[in-house]
Amino acid sequence: MNVTEKRKTVNIALIGCGFMGKEHSKAWSLAPVSCPDIEATPVKKILCDAFPGAAEEKARLWGYEEYCTDYREILEREDIDIVDICTPAPSHADIAIECIKAGKFVACEKPLVLNRADGERILQAVKKYKGRTATCFNKRRWPAVEFARQLIKEGTIGDIYLYNGRYVQDCLSAIANRGPQSSGGGFADSGSHILDMCRYILDDHFDAVVARTYQLDPDGRKGEVSKRVNEEECFALVLAQMKSGITASLYETYAYSGTGEDISFEVLGSRGSMRWSGANPSVFQLSIKDGDNRTNGFRNILMGPEHPYGNSVPVLPGFGVGVADNMSFQAYEIVNAYCRNYDYNPNFEDAWEIIKVCDDIRTSEKMKQWVKCC
């Protein structure tokens, strides 16, 4: 029997053992299996949660070596390389700033913050302490999303006329059951995904937005403030002008009955178009104008070894990829950025741009007019 040569390791401390904490924990475990060229194997060192029983139980179930209930214990540990923040958004700023001060590489779930004041505090800390950061916009790690970005750069569908993006969920009743929440979630939560995906696929930035947003009561109706689930948007329709001149339409809602969860995009160009849906993530649709009307229509392209993350997807494209794969690709990118000492994209500065656009969208709804993005 031969002994294997071990890869170097990086130690992970994860804060928050809720839904996203579980998904991130799976990703840290799966990344070295899915991605053979990862620079180091993530070691799940510490799980932190404010509730002692949850921290202890989840650390045991998810394979962490230790657990704690105060994230400040992590700051003192010289053996922790990457801190992964999966707590509710209102707590992100304080935890992230302390981790940056402690010299940790900090990964944080989106939305990074819920208001401009917290965003400015985080960015000041990043600048002052030369913080290395990552924001977990995992949706851009789907092979089809990376493929769309490549095709646009290669000019496959010509000049881009229009980008359509949407993110729909059927969880209004769950939001109602949670009761009132802090102002700033809503579109900044789920909607930030479609803003980032649009920006990333087009390799562009937002120039101006005009928006219609509103809250819904627990029955899915527009109602008086007293009847609303909370003061956060449950529906948003945004028209955006990009810096390049491309127009984008973006639509997000929590109240799409029957959809479960689905994020999707369409890109229309002078020579063709493309579209993709997260409900069927392994299938990418592409239409190219070839002058023969008999062959008009979309072709279904199965994501496989010839596409982005080719070394990490099944050899036979029909096996497909899922959310666990998507999250593991994000973990892979974070580990490589840490080990190779380059800036991760998207980092906190990128996330701050998205938060400001979310704020501009709220301003547009309030003023009922176009708002210039700053």
Side-chain angles (χ1 to χ4, degrees), residues 225-256:
V225 172
S226 61
K227 296 181 180 180
R228 291 172 180 168
V229 175
N230 50 47
E231 289 306 303
E232 299 174 355
E233 308 88 0
C234 297
F235 172 88
L237 180 63
V238 180
L239 189 64
Q241 189 76 13
M242 308 303 290
K243 294 285 188 182
S244 65
I246 296 171
T247 298
S249 69
L250 305 167
Y251 162 56
E252 183 266 344
T253 183
Y254 291 126
Y256 195 140

Side-chain angles (χ1 to χ4, degrees), residues 362-374:
R362 291 196 175 97
T363 301
S364 174
E365 163 63 25
K366 183 178 180 180
M367 299 177 65
K368 308 299 183 188
Q369 66 184 37
W370 281 90
V371 171
K372 186 78 170 177
C373 297
C374 56

Side-chain angles (χ1 to χ4, degrees), residues 49-186:
D49 194 274
F51 297 95
E56 181 178 10
E57 179 186 18
K58 297 301 173 61
R60 177 178 60 84
L61 294 175
W62 298 348
Y64 284 86
E65 296 180 4
E66 305 172 46
Y67 71 92
C68 66
T69 57
D70 186 345
Y71 73 87
R72 294 170 186 83
E73 294 182 36
I74 294 171
L75 307 179
E76 302 170 0
R77 293 281 295 264
E78 294 183 359
D79 59 339
I80 297 301
D81 302 305
I82 299 174
V83 177
D84 186 4
I85 302 173
C86 297
T87 57
S91 65
H92 287 174
D94 290 338
I95 297 174
I97 289 171
E98 290 300 315
C99 291
I100 290 169
K101 288 181 179 178
K104 308 300 184 185
F105 186 108
V106 186
C108 185
E109 258 300 327
K110 40 59 56 190
L112 178 63
V113 293
L114 297 181
N115 55 67
R116 287 182 179 253
D118 280 345
E120 289 168 356
R121 287 201 298 130
I122 285 186
L123 266 295
Q124 287 174 1
V126 169
K127 183 177 181 180
K128 181 176 180 179
Y129 297 98
K130 297 180 172 57
R132 301 185 62 207
T133 62
T135 306
C136 298
F137 283 117
N138 66 290
K139 305 297 186 183
R140 64 160 69 181
R141 299 306 175 198
W142 286 108
V145 173
E146 296 278 0
F147 187 47
R149 178 179 163 93
Q150 287 182 7
L151 292 180
I152 290 173
K153 283 183 174 295
E154 294 167 4
T156 302
I157 63 171
D159 297 329
I160 306 304
Y161 297 148
L162 178 67
Y163 178 97
N164 297 321
R166 74 169 193 166
Y167 192 10
V168 294
Q169 296 173 309
D170 182 9
C171 58
L172 186 63
S173 59
I175 295 173
N177 291 335
R178 292 203 301 265
Q181 301 174 48
S182 61
S183 176

